[in-house]
Amino acid sequence: DAVAAREELLADPANPLLDRATGESYAPGSSFKPVVTAASLDSGFAGPEDTFPDPIELDLPGSTATISNADGEVCNDGVSVTMRDGFRKSCNTTFAQMAMDMGSDTVTAQAEAFGFNQNIPFDWEPLESSYPNPGDDLAALAQSAIGQRDVQAVPLQMALVASGIANQGQIMEPHLVARVVDADGDVNEEVEPVVWMRALSPASAAIISDLMEQVVASGTGTAATVPGFRVAGKTGTDEAPEGGAPDVWFIGFAPVENPNIALAVVVEDGGDAGQSASGGSVAAPIAQRVLATWLERGT
């Protein structure tokens, strides 16, 4: 009966009744890098062709900790790497250094411009996505810049990051339904689009859109490719505890020239892939299926 079915769902360790889109938060990993890129572009700190050191391992000031890239290798030639290539290959050392050079306040202000540390206006109140200001702790800043440390995001927040870039820098208030119709198909109520905030300039949004398109064309997100359409995206893989499996991400939008869909995909504990999972191998293919279904409906 219904009571027994409910009890079964409540006892399920997978917790299927949990609203993960707004009620559960995760470390965003490298899906947070577009936020750091926006901070760099909007502050005038650096652009896509500016270069950064390319160590195999980045020493963090005041700490014994280091930051390495996912494959444990240099990002480019071991000497220098452009922001463009660092973004396409999702190089941790590049973005950690970039954030330390910019400073905590610049990165924090940009995160908050995307909606972190704020209540998202929605049909019900989502969990607040958190980006604690690391202050003078450069090691914490470097780790936060790659979506680790104490950074936490609900999937809706990361979908808003993607949509803000797709929408020339403006984030709209999200809502669950576009319109309410009666039994005759007549519209009784229609939600009017409302701008929530401007996250970044149109010029910066255009640059990041191009960088995200390159991620899907030839970077870490090629599994999100939809033939015949221009797709932009960014992968993310959080750092799992020893012996654990990472939560993995893909955020993106399409078609790049006139976006009409933005999304965030997160797979807890790497899904079936477990410890070997990455955003590119697990989350990107799911995004591809959603994007392909949506885009091909309109053709």
Side-chain angles (χ1 to χ4, degrees):
D1 61 8
V3 174
R6 181 176 181 274
E7 292 301 320
E8 184 179 347
L9 289 171
L10 290 173
D12 189 333
N15 204 359
L17 298 183
L18 175 63
D19 170 25
R20 289 171 170 82
T22 64
E24 189 77 358
S25 63
Y26 310 87
S30 292
S31 68
F32 188 75
K33 288 172 181 172
V35 176
V36 179
T37 306
S40 178
L41 295 172
D42 260 12
S43 69
F45 170 72
E49 309 312 325
D50 287 319
T51 59
F52 296 87
D54 187 27
I56 195 166
E57 194 173 68
L58 181 66
D59 294 322
L60 301 183
S63 170
T64 57
T66 61
I67 284 179
S68 303
N69 298 317
D71 60 3
E73 302 294 334
V74 296
C75 187
N76 184 35
D77 59 5
V79 178
S80 66
V81 60
T82 62
M83 177 198 290
R84 181 181 301 280
D85 279 344
F87 191 101
R88 181 173 62 85
K89 299 176 182 178
S90 197
C91 299
N92 294 331
T93 53
T94 307
F95 284 84
Q97 186 65 60
M98 190 188 307
M100 289 192 293
D101 291 345
M102 282 191 287
S104 288
D105 290 347
T106 299
V107 179
T108 302
Q110 187 64 67
E112 292 179 345
F114 272 106
F116 281 80
N117 301 337
Q118 301 185 55
N119 292 322
I120 298 172
F122 191 53
D123 301 71
W124 56 85
E125 189 171 332
L127 281 181
E128 189 176 282
S129 295
S130 175
Y131 182 87
N133 189 334
D136 295 330
D137 187 342
L138 291 180
L141 174 57
Q143 293 163 340
S144 299
I146 58 173
Q148 301 291 163
R149 192 79 178 199
D150 300 319
V151 183
Q152 290 283 302
V154 296
L156 176 61
Q157 171 63 65
M158 297 311 296
L160 292 178
V161 169
S163 70
I165 294 165
N167 197 37
Q168 300 180 329
Q170 284 190 328
I171 299 180
M172 310 302 289
E173 290 189 359
H175 48 83
L176 194 60
V177 296
R179 62 188 63 86
V180 178
V181 299
D182 60 23
D184 297 322
D186 297 323
V187 177
N188 286 347
E189 184 181 340
E190 193 155 10
V191 176
E192 293 296 324
V194 176
V195 176
W196 180 28
M197 62 176 68
R198 173 163 288 285
L200 68 166
S201 71
S204 295
I207 292 171
I208 299 175
S209 177
D210 175 58
L211 295 176
M212 291 175 69
E213 184 175 9
Q214 292 178 34
V215 166
V216 175
S218 62
T220 59
T222 55
T225 301
V226 180
F229 296 93
R230 296 170 61 195
V231 176
K234 184 70 195 77
T235 56
T237 307
D238 86 348
E239 230 171 70
E242 188 69 34
D247 298 323
V248 295
W249 290 82
F250 181 90
I251 67 170
F253 55 88
V256 170
E257 68 277 13
N258 187 24
N260 55 37
I261 180 173
L263 52 68
V265 173
V266 61
V267 180
E268 293 178 335
D269 300 324
D272 293 339
Q275 293 181 357
S276 64
S278 69
S281 65
V282 173
I286 296 171
Q288 193 277 341
R289 293 195 291 275
V290 175
L291 292 168
T293 300
W294 175 270
L295 294 168
E296 289 164 4
R297 279 179 57 205
T299 59

